[in-house]
Amino acid sequence: MKVFATNKSKLLPLVGRSVTIGDQKMALFEVSDGRIFAIDDYCPLTEAPLLEGMVAGEYVFEPMRDYKISLLDGKIQEPDQGQVAVYPVSVVGDKVYIELAD
């Protein structure tokens, strides 16, 4: 199910934006080449909000312990381990949509 999340014009490159759909809190990130990624706004290792993390390339760095998390697949990079849920994103005009499981 595709759900409206926000307007693209409200996103700032490399800065997270919080989106809540139902009871799911997610973070949207626009990387430097304009692609937009959606992930759960929650680190399973520290319980910190990923929204506050620094973005570099296709990664967000968890704000408390600096864990490197892929925006592509949600994997926490070695030597650490873990997984964050990622969601497909589509953009139609200025509207950003997140694909959620039915």
Side-chain angles (χ1 to χ4, degrees), residues 57-94:
E58 296 173 336
Y59 298 93
V60 62
F61 290 83
E62 185 274 339
M64 292 180 64
R65 300 266 196 274
D66 212 31
Y67 296 124
K68 185 178 180 182
I69 302 169
S70 171
L71 293 170
L72 295 172
D73 60 15
K75 290 184 181 173
I76 298 173
Q77 305 299 294
E78 291 184 6
D80 304 300
Q81 296 180 347
Q83 180 78 38
V84 177
V86 297
Y87 304 92
V89 172
S90 59
V91 179
V92 178
D94 189 46

Side-chain angles (χ1 to χ4, degrees), residues 10-90:
K10 292 185 177 181
L11 298 176
L12 296 173
L14 309 179
V15 176
R17 180 170 177 85
S18 179
V19 175
T20 302
I21 298 173
D23 60 352
Q24 288 183 279
K25 189 171 180 186
M26 295 169 237
L28 289 176
F29 295 97
E30 180 179 355
V31 296
S32 57
D33 66 8
R35 290 178 295 156
I36 299 170
F37 296 94
I39 65 173
D40 275 342
D41 187 21
Y42 173 83
C43 177
L45 301 177
T46 63
E47 300 179 6
L50 295 177
L51 171 70
E52 298 172 6
M54 298 291 293
V55 175
E58 296 173 336
Y59 298 93
V60 62
F61 290 83
E62 185 274 339
M64 292 180 64
R65 300 266 196 274
D66 212 31
Y67 296 124
K68 185 178 180 182
I69 302 169
S70 171
L71 293 170
L72 295 172
D73 60 15
K75 290 184 181 173
I76 298 173
Q77 305 299 294
E78 291 184 6
D80 304 300
Q81 296 180 347
Q83 180 78 38
V84 177
V86 297
Y87 304 92
V89 172
S90 59

